[in-house]
Amino acid sequence: MSWLPQLSMGGKQFAQGEKLTSPVFALGGRSGFKLVVYPKGESESTGGFCSAYVQVPSAGSYQLLLTVAGQVRKLLHTFSEQSLIGGVRDFVTEPNNFDHECLIELLS
């Protein structure tokens, strides 16, 4: 899946703790995934970093390849019904802009 956050930002300047959520998308034939990006980092992140999380449609173990602002990370996470979101608080140094597309791939 490919998503260009810059199109959803509409020129808005984000503060730390403010998020941007992708439209719902499908991976591996399963619908209900979302990508959640905090351009200036979530409230508990280290200053100067953006945060990136994946919301999954159901509990289980997922192996995902996530690219944000040109930085690639492999996420291995077991999600429970109580917490269907997981990711990296300090994913990448805060980019000057989000003109790079975000990519996500379901590995298993």
Side-chain angles (χ1 to χ4, degrees):
M1 188 287 295
S2 173
W3 175 51
L4 190 58
Q6 185 179 32
L7 296 177
S8 300
M9 293 173 82
K12 178 183 177 185
Q13 296 298 314
F14 283 74
Q16 187 168 3
E18 290 185 302
K19 68 182 176 181
L20 190 60
T21 303
S22 75
V24 174
F25 58 90
L27 290 175
R30 297 181 65 192
S31 185
F33 289 87
K34 289 184 186 178
L35 181 59
V36 180
V37 175
Y38 293 80
K40 300 275 187 184
E42 62 147 301
S43 58
E44 296 179 15
S45 69
T46 303
F49 283 84
C50 91
S51 306
Y53 297 87
V54 177
Q55 182 176 332
V56 299
S58 60
S61 293
Y62 294 82
Q63 185 175 14
L64 303 156
L65 195 62
L66 180 58
T67 304
V68 175
Q71 180 71 38
V72 180
R73 303 273 180 127
K74 186 183 281 189
L75 301 177
L76 306 170
H77 195 81
T78 300
F79 297 86
S80 69
E81 287 298 329
Q82 293 77 30
S83 180
L84 294 175
I85 191 164
V88 181
R89 180 178 295 149
D90 296 333
F91 191 93
V92 64
T93 303
E94 181 186 315
N96 293 329
N97 57 50
F98 268 88
D99 59 355
H100 291 45
E101 61 186 341
C102 294
L103 304 169
I104 185 165
E105 180 181 348
L106 178 64
L107 302 174
S108 66

